[in-house]
Amino acid sequence: MKIIDSTLKPQFASIFDVEAIRAEFPILKLQVENKPLVYLDNAASSQMPQPVIDRLVRYQTSQHANINRGVHYLSETATAEYEDSRRKLQRFINAGEDREVIFTSGTTDSINLVMHGYGRKFIGVGDEIILTTLEHHSNIVPWQMLAEEKGAKIRVVPINDAGELLIDEYEGLFNERTKFVGVLHVSNALGTINPIKQMIAFAHARGVPVLIDGAQAAPHMRVDVQDLDCDFYTFSGHKMCGPTGIGILYGKAELLERMQPFKGGGDMIMSVTFEKTTYNSIPHKFEAGTPPIAAAIGLGAAVDYLSAIGMDAIAAYELELLNYATEQMSHMPGVRIIGTAPMKTAVVSFEVKGVHPHDIGTLLNQEGVAVRTGHHCVQPVMLRLKVPATTRASFAFYNTMAEVDTFIAGIRTVQKFFT
Ligand SMILES: Cc1ncc(COP(=O)(O)O)c(C=O)c1O
């Protein structure tokens, strides 16, 4: 089988066989508008390979029961598989202990958990929370709700025209009232990779905990939470070849233990009387009710799949895709790339002069190309860069250089249509 990109470094080229990988994704064989599907909406949701689909089927056909309290075979099996998946996630992000990995329904749910569990307990009137202009709405709105409830204040790190955080400004925002920092690892709209290790170290030197929204990083690069030394790290299964409805909150054990529960109910308790309830230990304290067991096991299979390919190989290959697309688009008259930071993942937001992003998306769809158009849940970014919306192509390791060509040809078709 052939290696699509001959410019890949030899160690990656030898292990990265994109055609073999594509063969494992049934959905990539689809035709859309009588054209082969070119799926470039991976930042919204990625596709699922057969081994993950098979794992879900195996769970549903031979392992399903409710977990934790059962003494029968199926319940014990499901519990063991669920906890095994937790350990896979622990290894995937190099967490120190499996009890530091909490299954949530996704990044949004994880951030809300931290807001309720940590924020409502430890952030008060006059305290300050630092966020950045690049944040997804899911790392803005929960903190605004908290700020409103507690009388706290949100301070925002600005960006430059390329879409990079202004780190001097970040450092200048700290004062004795600063109680929390929330920052995304990678921007979903622009692809910017933020210098989070440096930002975390700066915050820690002032005793401030940091939450990292890793929704756009965990699918595309190696994440090591111990090396980063972040206090919280979160991501969603559906963006990394796993199912919807599942995600992870990593938290340092010592912090999770001090936090209050987010949701109350079954499984998160040690004992309940009408006079007093005592809570379970972590991670169970934060997993009230029946969790999405199948999805959690599916996510375990997804990280097995990604790890077998290798996150470094994925990152290197996707960088080649990004460079190939960027190089071509930067020479196209009337096309402007929005988000030009030197450190980026394979996300290209752009505008085509005189054409509304919605029309670009609709015409590209007629070529079989799936991209996303709109504000990408980052309205402050759109406001800052003075664009109402963009068209965004976001790549995954199963995309090919030939698909980049189809996408570029599609943009030319759009331009011809509107001239
Ligand atoms: C950077 C970032 N944060 C958070 C989210 C929210 O993820 P979810 O909808 O899976 O909760 C997204 C989804 O696009 C994202 O890109």
mmCIF file of all heavy atoms in Angstrom, residues 118-133:
data_model
loop_
_atom_site.group_PDB
_atom_site.id
_atom_site.type_symbol
_atom_site.label_atom_id
_atom_site.label_comp_id
_atom_site.label_asym_id
_atom_site.label_seq_id
_atom_site.Cartn_x
_atom_site.Cartn_y
_atom_site.Cartn_z
ATOM 1 N N TYR A 118 -15.472 23.062 41.862
ATOM 2 C CA TYR A 118 -14.361 23.871 42.379
ATOM 3 C C TYR A 118 -14.780 25.336 42.520
ATOM 4 O O TYR A 118 -14.649 25.942 43.583
ATOM 5 C CB TYR A 118 -13.141 23.752 41.457
ATOM 6 C CG TYR A 118 -11.947 24.493 42.009
ATOM 7 C CD1 TYR A 118 -11.037 23.865 42.845
ATOM 8 C CD2 TYR A 118 -11.765 25.856 41.731
ATOM 9 C CE1 TYR A 118 -9.958 24.557 43.389
ATOM 10 C CE2 TYR A 118 -10.689 26.552 42.275
ATOM 11 C CZ TYR A 118 -9.801 25.896 43.100
ATOM 12 O OH TYR A 118 -8.754 26.582 43.651
ATOM 13 N N GLY A 119 -15.300 25.886 41.417
ATOM 14 C CA GLY A 119 -15.589 27.326 41.370
ATOM 15 C C GLY A 119 -16.563 27.775 42.447
ATOM 16 O O GLY A 119 -16.324 28.754 43.155
ATOM 17 N N ARG A 120 -17.667 27.058 42.576
ATOM 18 C CA ARG A 120 -18.687 27.513 43.534
ATOM 19 C C ARG A 120 -18.199 27.385 44.975
ATOM 20 O O ARG A 120 -18.700 28.060 45.870
ATOM 21 C CB ARG A 120 -19.983 26.727 43.342
ATOM 22 C CG ARG A 120 -20.630 27.041 41.987
ATOM 23 C CD ARG A 120 -21.927 26.350 41.812
ATOM 24 N NE ARG A 120 -23.017 27.072 42.454
ATOM 25 C CZ ARG A 120 -24.207 26.560 42.694
ATOM 26 N NH1 ARG A 120 -24.473 25.314 42.338
ATOM 27 N NH2 ARG A 120 -25.127 27.268 43.268
ATOM 28 N N LYS A 121 -17.212 26.517 45.187
ATOM 29 C CA LYS A 121 -16.702 26.347 46.549
ATOM 30 C C LYS A 121 -15.566 27.325 46.867
ATOM 31 O O LYS A 121 -15.477 27.833 47.978
ATOM 32 C CB LYS A 121 -16.203 24.900 46.724
ATOM 33 C CG LYS A 121 -15.887 24.544 48.159
ATOM 34 C CD LYS A 121 -15.733 23.047 48.328
ATOM 35 C CE LYS A 121 -15.334 22.729 49.764
ATOM 36 N NZ LYS A 121 -14.983 21.324 49.923
ATOM 37 N N PHE A 122 -14.724 27.585 45.865
ATOM 38 C CA PHE A 122 -13.481 28.317 46.178
ATOM 39 C C PHE A 122 -13.381 29.714 45.573
ATOM 40 O O PHE A 122 -12.409 30.410 45.797
ATOM 41 C CB PHE A 122 -12.261 27.492 45.741
ATOM 42 C CG PHE A 122 -12.133 26.185 46.486
ATOM 43 C CD1 PHE A 122 -12.305 24.965 45.829
ATOM 44 C CD2 PHE A 122 -11.854 26.173 47.847
ATOM 45 C CE1 PHE A 122 -12.191 23.767 46.511
ATOM 46 C CE2 PHE A 122 -11.738 24.972 48.538
ATOM 47 C CZ PHE A 122 -11.914 23.762 47.870
ATOM 48 N N ILE A 123 -14.354 30.109 44.745
ATOM 49 C CA ILE A 123 -14.283 31.442 44.124
ATOM 50 C C ILE A 123 -15.409 32.300 44.694
ATOM 51 O O ILE A 123 -16.574 31.865 44.735
ATOM 52 C CB ILE A 123 -14.362 31.336 42.587
ATOM 53 C CG1 ILE A 123 -13.110 30.590 42.071
ATOM 54 C CG2 ILE A 123 -14.446 32.727 41.937
ATOM 55 C CD1 ILE A 123 -13.102 30.264 40.610
ATOM 56 N N GLY A 124 -15.050 33.512 45.150
ATOM 57 C CA GLY A 124 -16.047 34.345 45.831
ATOM 58 C C GLY A 124 -16.085 35.758 45.294
ATOM 59 O O GLY A 124 -15.503 36.072 44.240
ATOM 60 N N VAL A 125 -16.755 36.604 46.052
ATOM 61 C CA VAL A 125 -16.969 37.985 45.627
ATOM 62 C C VAL A 125 -15.629 38.707 45.437
ATOM 63 O O VAL A 125 -14.722 38.577 46.259
ATOM 64 C CB VAL A 125 -17.914 38.722 46.624
ATOM 65 C CG1 VAL A 125 -17.316 38.804 48.019
ATOM 66 C CG2 VAL A 125 -18.290 40.092 46.121
ATOM 67 N N GLY A 126 -15.510 39.391 44.312
ATOM 68 C CA GLY A 126 -14.308 40.166 44.019
ATOM 69 C C GLY A 126 -13.160 39.339 43.431
ATOM 70 O O GLY A 126 -12.162 39.893 42.969
ATOM 71 N N ASP A 127 -13.281 38.000 43.452
ATOM 72 C CA ASP A 127 -12.217 37.164 42.889
ATOM 73 C C ASP A 127 -12.208 37.268 41.367
ATOM 74 O O ASP A 127 -13.221 37.614 40.749
ATOM 75 C CB ASP A 127 -12.415 35.698 43.305
ATOM 76 C CG ASP A 127 -12.093 35.482 44.776
ATOM 77 O OD1 ASP A 127 -11.419 36.357 45.361
ATOM 78 O OD2 ASP A 127 -12.522 34.456 45.325
ATOM 79 N N GLU A 128 -11.061 36.920 40.794
ATOM 80 C CA GLU A 128 -10.923 37.049 39.340
ATOM 81 C C GLU A 128 -10.568 35.716 38.678
ATOM 82 O O GLU A 128 -9.783 34.924 39.210
ATOM 83 C CB GLU A 128 -9.853 38.100 39.012
ATOM 84 C CG GLU A 128 -10.282 39.484 39.487
ATOM 85 C CD GLU A 128 -9.340 40.608 39.086
ATOM 86 O OE1 GLU A 128 -8.316 40.340 38.414
ATOM 87 O OE2 GLU A 128 -9.637 41.751 39.452
ATOM 88 N N ILE A 129 -11.189 35.528 37.516
ATOM 89 C CA ILE A 129 -10.956 34.322 36.712
ATOM 90 C C ILE A 129 -10.358 34.789 35.387
ATOM 91 O O ILE A 129 -10.929 35.673 34.741
ATOM 92 C CB ILE A 129 -12.293 33.597 36.434
ATOM 93 C CG1 ILE A 129 -12.965 33.201 37.746
ATOM 94 C CG2 ILE A 129 -12.105 32.403 35.505
ATOM 95 C CD1 ILE A 129 -14.458 32.951 37.617
ATOM 96 N N ILE A 130 -9.234 34.201 34.999
ATOM 97 C CA ILE A 130 -8.621 34.585 33.720
ATOM 98 C C ILE A 130 -9.015 33.576 32.647
ATOM 99 O O ILE A 130 -8.820 32.363 32.813
ATOM 100 C CB ILE A 130 -7.079 34.663 33.846
ATOM 101 C CG1 ILE A 130 -6.696 35.764 34.848
ATOM 102 C CG2 ILE A 130 -6.438 34.907 32.483
ATOM 103 C CD1 ILE A 130 -5.189 35.917 35.051
ATOM 104 N N LEU A 131 -9.581 34.090 31.566
ATOM 105 C CA LEU A 131 -9.899 33.286 30.371
ATOM 106 C C LEU A 131 -9.204 33.949 29.187
ATOM 107 O O LEU A 131 -8.585 34.990 29.343
ATOM 108 C CB LEU A 131 -11.413 33.238 30.138
ATOM 109 C CG LEU A 131 -12.280 32.720 31.284
ATOM 110 C CD1 LEU A 131 -13.760 32.852 30.934
ATOM 111 C CD2 LEU A 131 -11.948 31.254 31.604
ATOM 112 N N THR A 132 -9.322 33.358 28.004
ATOM 113 C CA THR A 132 -8.693 33.992 26.838
ATOM 114 C C THR A 132 -9.731 34.256 25.754
ATOM 115 O O THR A 132 -10.787 33.610 25.714
ATOM 116 C CB THR A 132 -7.567 33.112 26.239
ATOM 117 O OG1 THR A 132 -8.160 32.165 25.353
ATOM 118 C CG2 THR A 132 -6.749 32.397 27.297
ATOM 119 N N THR A 133 -9.391 35.181 24.869
ATOM 120 C CA THR A 133 -10.275 35.521 23.747
ATOM 121 C C THR A 133 -10.580 34.290 22.904
ATOM 122 O O THR A 133 -11.634 34.195 22.286
ATOM 123 C CB THR A 133 -9.588 36.588 22.855
ATOM 124 O OG1 THR A 133 -9.211 37.685 23.684
ATOM 125 C CG2 THR A 133 -10.498 37.079 21.743
#
